Short mmCIF file of all heavy atoms in Angstrom, two decimals:
data_model
loop_
_atom_site.label_atom_id
_atom_site.label_comp_id
_atom_site.label_asym_id
_atom_site.label_seq_id
_atom_site.Cartn_x
_atom_site.Cartn_y
_atom_site.Cartn_z
N SER A 316 -16.29 -26.43 -3.86
CA SER A 316 -17.78 -26.30 -4.08
C SER A 316 -18.10 -24.90 -4.64
O SER A 316 -19.23 -24.74 -5.16
CB SER A 316 -18.30 -26.32 -2.57
OG SER A 316 -17.68 -25.46 -1.77
N THR A 317 -17.25 -23.96 -4.48
CA THR A 317 -17.57 -22.56 -4.99
C THR A 317 -17.61 -22.64 -6.60
O THR A 317 -18.41 -21.79 -7.13
CB THR A 317 -16.39 -21.65 -4.60
OG1 THR A 317 -16.17 -21.61 -3.31
CG2 THR A 317 -16.61 -20.10 -5.06
N ILE A 318 -16.80 -23.45 -7.31
CA ILE A 318 -16.86 -23.49 -8.73
C ILE A 318 -17.53 -24.69 -9.33
O ILE A 318 -17.71 -24.68 -10.52
CB ILE A 318 -15.41 -23.42 -9.21
CG1 ILE A 318 -14.66 -24.71 -8.64
CG2 ILE A 318 -14.66 -22.23 -8.81
CD1 ILE A 318 -13.32 -25.03 -9.42
N ALA A 319 -18.15 -25.59 -8.56
CA ALA A 319 -18.82 -26.68 -9.07
C ALA A 319 -19.95 -26.39 -10.05
O ALA A 319 -20.83 -25.61 -9.53
CB ALA A 319 -19.33 -27.55 -7.87
N GLY A 320 -19.84 -26.76 -11.28
CA GLY A 320 -20.94 -26.59 -12.18
C GLY A 320 -20.91 -25.09 -12.72
O GLY A 320 -21.83 -24.78 -13.53
N LYS A 321 -19.96 -24.29 -12.47
CA LYS A 321 -19.96 -22.89 -12.76
C LYS A 321 -19.10 -22.61 -13.99
O LYS A 321 -18.17 -23.31 -14.34
CB LYS A 321 -19.38 -21.97 -11.67
CG LYS A 321 -20.12 -22.19 -10.40
CD LYS A 321 -21.41 -21.35 -10.40
CE LYS A 321 -21.97 -21.29 -8.96
NZ LYS A 321 -23.43 -21.12 -8.96
N ALA A 322 -19.44 -21.57 -14.70
CA ALA A 322 -18.59 -20.95 -15.80
C ALA A 322 -17.71 -20.03 -15.16
O ALA A 322 -18.09 -19.02 -14.51
CB ALA A 322 -19.37 -20.36 -16.87
N VAL A 323 -16.31 -20.27 -15.23
CA VAL A 323 -15.34 -19.40 -14.60
C VAL A 323 -14.44 -18.76 -15.65
O VAL A 323 -14.21 -19.27 -16.83
CB VAL A 323 -14.54 -20.10 -13.55
CG1 VAL A 323 -15.43 -20.86 -12.52
CG2 VAL A 323 -13.60 -21.04 -14.24
N CYS A 324 -13.82 -17.66 -15.32
CA CYS A 324 -12.91 -17.01 -16.32
C CYS A 324 -11.62 -16.77 -15.42
O CYS A 324 -11.59 -16.04 -14.38
CB CYS A 324 -13.36 -15.71 -16.79
SG CYS A 324 -12.32 -14.93 -17.96
N LEU A 325 -10.46 -17.32 -16.07
CA LEU A 325 -9.09 -17.05 -15.45
C LEU A 325 -8.67 -15.70 -16.03
O LEU A 325 -8.87 -15.38 -17.17
CB LEU A 325 -8.15 -18.10 -15.99
CG LEU A 325 -8.14 -19.50 -15.22
CD1 LEU A 325 -7.48 -20.53 -16.09
CD2 LEU A 325 -7.82 -19.38 -13.95
N ILE A 326 -8.02 -14.91 -15.10
CA ILE A 326 -7.37 -13.62 -15.44
C ILE A 326 -5.93 -13.75 -15.36
O ILE A 326 -5.40 -14.13 -14.32
CB ILE A 326 -7.94 -12.45 -14.52
CG1 ILE A 326 -9.48 -12.32 -14.59
CG2 ILE A 326 -7.23 -11.19 -14.98
CD1 ILE A 326 -10.04 -11.83 -15.96
N ASP A 327 -5.16 -13.35 -16.43
CA ASP A 327 -3.76 -13.48 -16.39
C ASP A 327 -3.17 -12.23 -17.07
O ASP A 327 -3.88 -11.48 -17.65
CB ASP A 327 -3.24 -14.69 -17.18
CG ASP A 327 -1.93 -15.18 -16.75
OD1 ASP A 327 -1.21 -14.47 -15.85
OD2 ASP A 327 -1.34 -16.16 -17.45
N ASP A 328 -1.87 -11.96 -16.77
CA ASP A 328 -1.27 -10.84 -17.43
C ASP A 328 -0.62 -11.16 -18.75
O ASP A 328 -0.97 -10.54 -19.84
CB ASP A 328 -0.28 -10.05 -16.49
CG ASP A 328 0.55 -11.06 -15.76
OD1 ASP A 328 1.00 -12.09 -16.25
OD2 ASP A 328 0.85 -10.71 -14.49
N VAL A 329 0.38 -12.04 -18.77
CA VAL A 329 0.96 -12.38 -20.05
C VAL A 329 0.92 -13.93 -20.25
O VAL A 329 1.26 -14.70 -19.43
CB VAL A 329 2.50 -12.04 -20.06
CG1 VAL A 329 3.09 -12.27 -21.33
CG2 VAL A 329 2.60 -10.59 -19.79
N SER A 330 0.39 -14.29 -21.45
CA SER A 330 0.39 -15.74 -21.88
C SER A 330 1.35 -15.99 -22.89
O SER A 330 1.48 -15.29 -23.87
CB SER A 330 -1.02 -16.09 -22.38
OG SER A 330 -0.98 -17.36 -22.90
N THR A 331 2.32 -16.99 -22.75
CA THR A 331 3.36 -17.25 -23.59
C THR A 331 2.89 -18.24 -24.61
O THR A 331 2.54 -18.07 -25.68
CB THR A 331 4.75 -17.61 -22.89
OG1 THR A 331 4.97 -16.59 -21.98
CG2 THR A 331 5.76 -17.68 -23.87
N THR A 332 2.88 -19.56 -24.07
CA THR A 332 2.48 -20.74 -24.87
C THR A 332 1.07 -21.15 -24.43
O THR A 332 0.41 -21.95 -24.97
CB THR A 332 3.25 -21.92 -24.90
OG1 THR A 332 3.33 -22.35 -23.50
CG2 THR A 332 4.74 -21.49 -25.32
N GLY A 333 0.56 -20.57 -23.24
CA GLY A 333 -0.67 -21.01 -22.69
C GLY A 333 -0.54 -22.24 -21.80
O GLY A 333 -1.59 -22.70 -21.19
N ALA A 334 0.69 -22.68 -21.55
CA ALA A 334 0.86 -23.89 -20.68
C ALA A 334 0.35 -23.68 -19.26
O ALA A 334 -0.28 -24.47 -18.66
CB ALA A 334 2.32 -24.26 -20.66
N THR A 335 0.62 -22.42 -18.71
CA THR A 335 0.20 -22.15 -17.33
C THR A 335 -1.25 -22.15 -17.33
O THR A 335 -1.91 -22.74 -16.41
CB THR A 335 0.76 -20.94 -16.93
OG1 THR A 335 2.17 -20.87 -17.00
CG2 THR A 335 0.45 -20.63 -15.40
N LEU A 336 -1.87 -21.46 -18.39
CA LEU A 336 -3.30 -21.30 -18.31
C LEU A 336 -4.04 -22.73 -18.53
O LEU A 336 -5.04 -22.91 -17.96
CB LEU A 336 -3.81 -20.29 -19.41
CG LEU A 336 -3.35 -18.93 -19.10
CD1 LEU A 336 -3.48 -18.06 -20.28
CD2 LEU A 336 -4.52 -18.40 -17.98
N ARG A 337 -3.37 -23.52 -19.28
CA ARG A 337 -3.88 -24.86 -19.65
C ARG A 337 -3.90 -25.71 -18.31
O ARG A 337 -4.91 -26.42 -18.01
CB ARG A 337 -3.32 -25.55 -20.69
CG ARG A 337 -3.95 -25.22 -22.13
CD ARG A 337 -3.58 -26.19 -23.17
NE ARG A 337 -2.05 -25.99 -23.55
CZ ARG A 337 -1.51 -25.05 -24.28
NH1 ARG A 337 -2.41 -24.23 -24.85
NH2 ARG A 337 -0.29 -24.89 -24.49
N GLU A 338 -2.87 -25.59 -17.60
CA GLU A 338 -2.83 -26.43 -16.38
C GLU A 338 -3.67 -25.91 -15.33
O GLU A 338 -4.44 -26.72 -14.62
CB GLU A 338 -1.25 -26.32 -15.76
CG GLU A 338 -1.01 -27.06 -14.52
CD GLU A 338 -1.16 -28.51 -14.67
OE1 GLU A 338 -1.12 -29.13 -15.81
OE2 GLU A 338 -1.51 -29.21 -13.62
N ALA A 339 -3.91 -24.59 -15.25
CA ALA A 339 -4.98 -23.97 -14.38
C ALA A 339 -6.35 -24.46 -14.86
O ALA A 339 -7.14 -24.83 -13.91
CB ALA A 339 -4.82 -22.62 -14.31
N THR A 340 -6.56 -24.41 -16.08
CA THR A 340 -7.95 -24.95 -16.67
C THR A 340 -8.14 -26.36 -16.32
O THR A 340 -9.22 -26.72 -15.76
CB THR A 340 -7.87 -24.75 -18.14
OG1 THR A 340 -7.74 -23.41 -18.47
CG2 THR A 340 -9.15 -25.30 -18.69
N HIS A 341 -7.10 -27.20 -16.56
CA HIS A 341 -7.28 -28.62 -16.05
C HIS A 341 -7.59 -28.74 -14.54
O HIS A 341 -8.43 -29.55 -14.20
CB HIS A 341 -5.92 -29.33 -16.39
CG HIS A 341 -5.81 -30.68 -16.16
ND1 HIS A 341 -4.79 -31.42 -15.57
CD2 HIS A 341 -6.68 -31.72 -16.52
CE1 HIS A 341 -5.01 -32.75 -15.46
NE2 HIS A 341 -6.22 -32.86 -16.02
N THR A 342 -6.86 -28.12 -13.72
CA THR A 342 -7.06 -28.20 -12.25
C THR A 342 -8.56 -27.75 -11.94
O THR A 342 -9.20 -28.37 -11.22
CB THR A 342 -6.16 -27.17 -11.48
OG1 THR A 342 -4.77 -27.51 -12.00
CG2 THR A 342 -6.28 -27.27 -10.01
N LEU A 343 -9.01 -26.62 -12.54
CA LEU A 343 -10.30 -26.14 -12.32
C LEU A 343 -11.44 -27.12 -12.82
O LEU A 343 -12.40 -27.38 -12.06
CB LEU A 343 -10.62 -24.78 -12.96
CG LEU A 343 -9.81 -23.61 -12.31
CD1 LEU A 343 -9.83 -22.38 -13.17
CD2 LEU A 343 -10.40 -23.27 -10.96
N LYS A 344 -11.23 -27.67 -14.07
CA LYS A 344 -12.26 -28.63 -14.58
C LYS A 344 -12.29 -29.78 -13.73
O LYS A 344 -13.34 -30.50 -13.52
CB LYS A 344 -11.90 -28.77 -16.00
CG LYS A 344 -12.40 -27.72 -16.95
CD LYS A 344 -12.32 -28.01 -18.38
CE LYS A 344 -12.74 -26.79 -19.28
NZ LYS A 344 -12.82 -27.12 -20.67
N ARG A 345 -11.10 -30.38 -13.34
CA ARG A 345 -11.02 -31.55 -12.53
C ARG A 345 -11.75 -31.27 -11.16
O ARG A 345 -12.31 -32.22 -10.61
CB ARG A 345 -9.62 -31.93 -12.34
CG ARG A 345 -9.24 -33.24 -12.69
CD ARG A 345 -7.91 -33.69 -12.43
NE ARG A 345 -7.24 -32.77 -11.42
CZ ARG A 345 -5.89 -32.64 -11.36
NH1 ARG A 345 -5.08 -33.36 -11.97
NH2 ARG A 345 -5.47 -31.75 -10.51
N ALA A 346 -11.66 -30.11 -10.80
CA ALA A 346 -12.37 -29.82 -9.42
C ALA A 346 -13.77 -29.49 -9.66
O ALA A 346 -14.53 -29.22 -8.64
CB ALA A 346 -11.69 -28.49 -8.81
N GLY A 347 -14.32 -29.49 -10.86
CA GLY A 347 -15.88 -29.45 -11.08
C GLY A 347 -16.32 -28.20 -11.87
O GLY A 347 -17.51 -28.04 -12.08
N ALA A 348 -15.39 -27.24 -12.32
CA ALA A 348 -15.85 -26.14 -13.20
C ALA A 348 -16.48 -26.79 -14.40
O ALA A 348 -15.90 -27.62 -15.04
CB ALA A 348 -14.58 -25.21 -13.37
N ALA A 349 -17.59 -26.18 -14.80
CA ALA A 349 -18.24 -26.68 -16.00
C ALA A 349 -17.54 -26.06 -17.27
O ALA A 349 -17.45 -26.76 -18.20
CB ALA A 349 -19.72 -26.18 -16.10
N ARG A 350 -17.20 -24.85 -17.22
CA ARG A 350 -16.51 -24.15 -18.32
C ARG A 350 -15.43 -23.28 -17.87
O ARG A 350 -15.51 -22.61 -16.83
CB ARG A 350 -17.42 -23.46 -19.28
CG ARG A 350 -18.32 -24.35 -20.07
CD ARG A 350 -19.09 -23.60 -21.24
NE ARG A 350 -20.26 -22.71 -20.50
CZ ARG A 350 -20.93 -21.94 -21.21
NH1 ARG A 350 -20.73 -21.78 -22.46
NH2 ARG A 350 -21.77 -21.17 -20.52
N VAL A 351 -14.27 -23.15 -18.53
CA VAL A 351 -13.20 -22.25 -18.14
C VAL A 351 -12.83 -21.43 -19.28
O VAL A 351 -12.46 -21.79 -20.41
CB VAL A 351 -12.04 -23.07 -17.72
CG1 VAL A 351 -10.93 -22.14 -17.32
CG2 VAL A 351 -12.29 -23.93 -16.47
N PHE A 352 -13.06 -20.09 -19.21
CA PHE A 352 -12.66 -19.11 -20.06
C PHE A 352 -11.36 -18.38 -19.66
O PHE A 352 -10.96 -18.55 -18.43
CB PHE A 352 -13.76 -18.01 -20.28
CG PHE A 352 -15.13 -18.56 -20.74
CD1 PHE A 352 -16.16 -18.60 -19.79
CD2 PHE A 352 -15.39 -19.03 -21.93
CE1 PHE A 352 -17.42 -19.10 -20.14
CE2 PHE A 352 -16.47 -19.58 -22.32
CZ PHE A 352 -17.64 -19.50 -21.36
N VAL A 353 -10.68 -17.75 -20.54
CA VAL A 353 -9.45 -17.13 -20.21
C VAL A 353 -9.41 -15.66 -20.78
O VAL A 353 -9.88 -15.43 -21.90
CB VAL A 353 -8.24 -17.93 -20.91
CG1 VAL A 353 -6.95 -16.98 -20.85
CG2 VAL A 353 -8.09 -19.25 -20.10
N ALA A 354 -9.04 -14.76 -19.93
CA ALA A 354 -8.78 -13.38 -20.38
C ALA A 354 -7.36 -12.78 -19.94
O ALA A 354 -7.17 -13.03 -18.73
CB ALA A 354 -9.85 -12.48 -19.85
N THR A 355 -6.61 -12.43 -20.83
CA THR A 355 -5.23 -11.90 -20.59
C THR A 355 -4.93 -10.61 -21.11
O THR A 355 -5.56 -10.28 -22.22
CB THR A 355 -4.29 -13.21 -20.97
OG1 THR A 355 -2.89 -12.72 -20.59
CG2 THR A 355 -4.25 -13.44 -22.35
N LEU A 356 -3.97 -9.94 -20.57
CA LEU A 356 -3.59 -8.59 -21.21
C LEU A 356 -2.92 -8.96 -22.48
O LEU A 356 -3.31 -8.42 -23.60
CB LEU A 356 -2.60 -7.90 -20.19
CG LEU A 356 -3.15 -7.18 -19.01
CD1 LEU A 356 -2.03 -6.60 -18.31
CD2 LEU A 356 -4.10 -5.99 -19.49
N ALA A 357 -1.92 -9.73 -22.39
CA ALA A 357 -1.12 -9.87 -23.63
C ALA A 357 -0.68 -11.34 -23.83
O ALA A 357 -0.69 -12.14 -22.96
CB ALA A 357 0.31 -9.01 -23.48
N ARG A 358 -0.44 -11.63 -25.12
CA ARG A 358 0.14 -12.95 -25.48
C ARG A 358 1.24 -12.83 -26.53
O ARG A 358 1.26 -11.91 -27.28
CB ARG A 358 -1.04 -13.87 -25.94
CG ARG A 358 -1.62 -13.53 -27.36
CD ARG A 358 -1.95 -14.96 -28.00
NE ARG A 358 -0.95 -15.69 -28.02
CZ ARG A 358 -0.95 -17.03 -27.88
NH1 ARG A 358 -2.05 -17.72 -27.51
NH2 ARG A 358 0.12 -17.84 -28.00
N THR A 359 2.31 -13.73 -26.33
CA THR A 359 3.33 -13.63 -27.41
C THR A 359 2.78 -14.47 -28.52
O THR A 359 2.16 -15.52 -28.40
CB THR A 359 4.54 -14.43 -26.70
OG1 THR A 359 4.21 -15.69 -26.28
CG2 THR A 359 5.22 -13.63 -25.56
#
Side-chain angles (χ1 to χ4, degrees):
S316 60
T317 307
I318 59 167
K321 303 285 192 203
V323 307
C324 181
L325 285 164
I326 302 287
D327 201 3
D328 41 37
V329 183
S330 166
T331 307
T332 63
T335 304
L336 286 162
R337 272 194 293 280
E338 181 63 23
T340 297
H341 183 224
T342 305
L343 289 166
K344 286 192 176 180
R345 235 180 18 195
R350 285 189 290 174
V351 178
F352 304 108
V353 165
T355 181
L356 280 178
R358 68 150 303 138
T359 54

